Amino acid sequence: GKGEYDHYMLKEIHTQPTALSNTIEGRVEDGDVAFEDLPAGTFSDVDTVQFVACGTSYHAAMYGAQLLRSAGVRTDVVRASEYASKTGPVDDATLVVAVTQSGETADTLDAVRKATDRGARSLAVTNVVGSTAAREADDAVYIRAGPEVGVAATKTFSSQAVTLALLSQRIAADVPEAAAAADRETMLEDLTDLPEHVETVLETTDAEGIAREFHDSDSYFFIGNGLGHPVALEGALKFKEITYEHAEGFAAGELKHGPLALVTDETPVFAVATSGDDEKTKTNAIEAQTRGAPIVAVCPDDHPLVDVAEVHLSIPDTHPVWAGLLANVQLQLVSYHAADLLERPIDKPRNLAKSVTVE
Ligand code: F6R
């Protein structure tokens, strides 16, 4: 049941420290990444990785894809529903990674079948043991987030992103000419602190106050660059799903290429930043601010964005790979509280289903 919480979504947001501990358990050993069923050498024959996914899982896939690409692996990330028309060459050196919480999303299953028909090898990253994706793929990795009841995915996004970050290091270590991240050791050390850092966010957040301040705005924009980009997209998706308000996420640098026309003093801009990104998010937040938009900085306390923004949602200082996920927890809470103030049916938004089994 929901226990002490008003909604499953809030409970699932608060379960993230435990879910993440389960996700990580046994997967970091002697300063390196270990997956029980994927020993060293598993990916030696791979030269290209294609991620396929939908919705929130697509945002987690973007996260993993950026990390894998920066480790030197040829990487594509395709919305599963567009796989037939948007994918490049596929052969037996292609690994298709299906990211799907339920393991039952029709578009994702179809994309995997199309890839394997063309000779690709497949790996499912899923929450549900025995799901169709897990059964059909050559290999399966479980995110171990526990069952998710709320239609809006929360803890499963965090567990997917962590699993994919670890998987990116496992794959890169095998693929010839790629290499796991140079700062892998600090990254993995900081990962051990992630559940505790999420706990800190949950205990100290002022997301409710910010939701109260802004919940009758015209539109909501979310920007970020690098790993902040998928977090911005996810922030906007969550916001529109449960508040029914208009929200959009952009790569920070894209704001000035069109969306800026929508920016007014009635459109708060949530700017996501970590210590690992460049100045783009800050300079583009200033562009929006000049047009009157209130800026909500979602970043560590020492980030330059804090000096610019009207409001700040703080995240603990950690490796940039995990900082994005802490920013996402803040945004989950903003969406939740805004939806609650607007009296929306948070766990079952209109028109949406937990698992989409039609194409
Ligand atoms: C968003 C949400 C959906 C799912 C999408 C994919 O909160 O829940 O966008 O992420 O339908 O579902 P799975 O991961 O089960 O393939």
Side-chain angles (χ1 to χ4, degrees):
K2 292 181 291 210
E4 62 186 288
Y5 298 100
D6 289 342
H7 298 94
Y8 280 104
M9 183 185 178
L10 189 61
K11 180 184 173 185
E12 285 157 1
I13 290 172
H14 280 262
T15 311
Q16 287 176 116
T18 314
L20 287 169
S21 297
N22 291 334
T23 302
I24 299 161
E25 171 91 53
R27 288 175 171 171
V28 179
E29 267 174 16
D30 306 325
D32 225 325
V33 175
F35 282 95
E36 211 180 4
D37 300 328
L38 307 170
T42 304
F43 302 108
S44 314
D45 295 335
V46 171
D47 75 8
T48 305
V49 176
Q50 293 180 340
F51 289 92
V52 295
C54 303
T56 289
S57 294
Y58 180 82
H59 302 147
M62 283 177 73
Y63 213 91
Q66 181 180 324
L67 296 171
L68 193 58
R69 203 176 281 131
S70 58
V73 179
R74 281 173 218 284
T75 306
D76 225 354
V77 48
V78 188
R79 296 191 186 271
S81 57
E82 290 288 281
Y83 189 79
S85 49
K86 289 205 170 66
T87 185
V90 176
D91 59 27
D92 59 6
T94 307
L95 174 71
V96 62
V97 180
V99 185
T100 167
Q101 186 282 128
S102 63
E104 303 299 343
T105 300
D107 284 326
T108 307
L109 295 173
D110 185 59
V112 176
R113 289 171 192 144
K114 287 198 165 76
T116 49
D117 282 352
R118 293 163 68 187
R121 179 168 148 196
S122 59
L123 172 65
V125 175
T126 181
N127 197 30
V128 181
V129 177
S131 58
T132 307
R135 283 185 284 108
E136 288 190 7
D138 296 318
D139 289 292
V141 167
Y142 296 104
I143 64 166
R144 309 196 291 217
E148 189 171 65
V149 177
V151 165
T154 52
K155 63 174 179 172
T156 56
F157 173 83
S158 300
S159 290
Q160 281 173 334
V162 166
T163 306
L164 293 173
L166 292 175
L167 191 63
S168 72
Q169 302 308 302
R170 183 71 278 289
I171 294 174
D174 283 357
V175 173
E177 285 163 37
D183 64 348
R184 174 172 86 258
E185 267 182 50
T186 7
M187 177 176 146
L188 295 177
E189 254 170 51
D190 283 4
L191 175 60
T192 355
D193 298 329
L194 183 63
E196 207 178 294
H197 284 156
V198 172
E199 199 65 65
T200 304
V201 169
L202 295 171
E203 281 166 12
T204 59
T205 183
D206 187 32
E208 186 170 0
I210 284 169
R212 201 169 289 281
E213 188 172 343
F214 293 115
H215 74 280
D216 57 359
S217 303
D218 288 347
S219 278
Y220 303 79
F221 298 118
F222 296 77
I223 62 170
N225 73 278
L227 290 173
H229 179 211
V231 174
L233 297 183
E234 175 58 12
L237 179 65
K238 211 90 310 174
F239 201 88
K240 69 184 90 168
E241 280 183 295
I242 61 167
T243 69
Y244 307 162
E245 295 295 314
H246 178 242
E248 295 296 338
F250 304 104
E254 281 295 301
L255 199 60
K256 57 187 174 299
H257 297 289
L260 204 52
L262 298 171
V263 168
T264 69
D265 56 2
E266 288 298 318
T267 61
V269 174
F270 291 83
V272 173
T274 74
S275 56
D277 56 13
D278 56 28
E279 288 277 294
K280 279 198 183 68
T281 303
K282 183 182 153 192
T283 50
N284 286 280
I286 294 172
E287 290 289 314
Q289 190 175 45
T290 309
R291 276 76 183 178
I295 307 300
V296 182
V298 191
C299 62
D301 294 347
D302 61 357
H303 196 282
L305 196 56
V306 177
D307 303 328
V308 171
E310 278 72 22
V311 202
H312 176 213
L313 281 168
S314 171
I315 57 172
D317 198 23
T318 185
H319 192 282
V321 168
W322 317 123
L325 304 183
L326 295 168
N328 183 61
V329 173
Q330 289 284 23
L331 295 180
Q332 292 171 345
L333 289 161
V334 172
S335 289
Y336 172 81
H337 288 294
D340 197 34
L341 288 162
L342 294 165
E343 298 180 10
R344 307 299 189 217
I346 292 177
D347 286 331
K348 282 191 192 303
R350 69 183 177 203
N351 311 340
L352 302 179
K354 184 68 184 160
S355 128
V356 185
T357 52
V358 290
E359 274 178 44

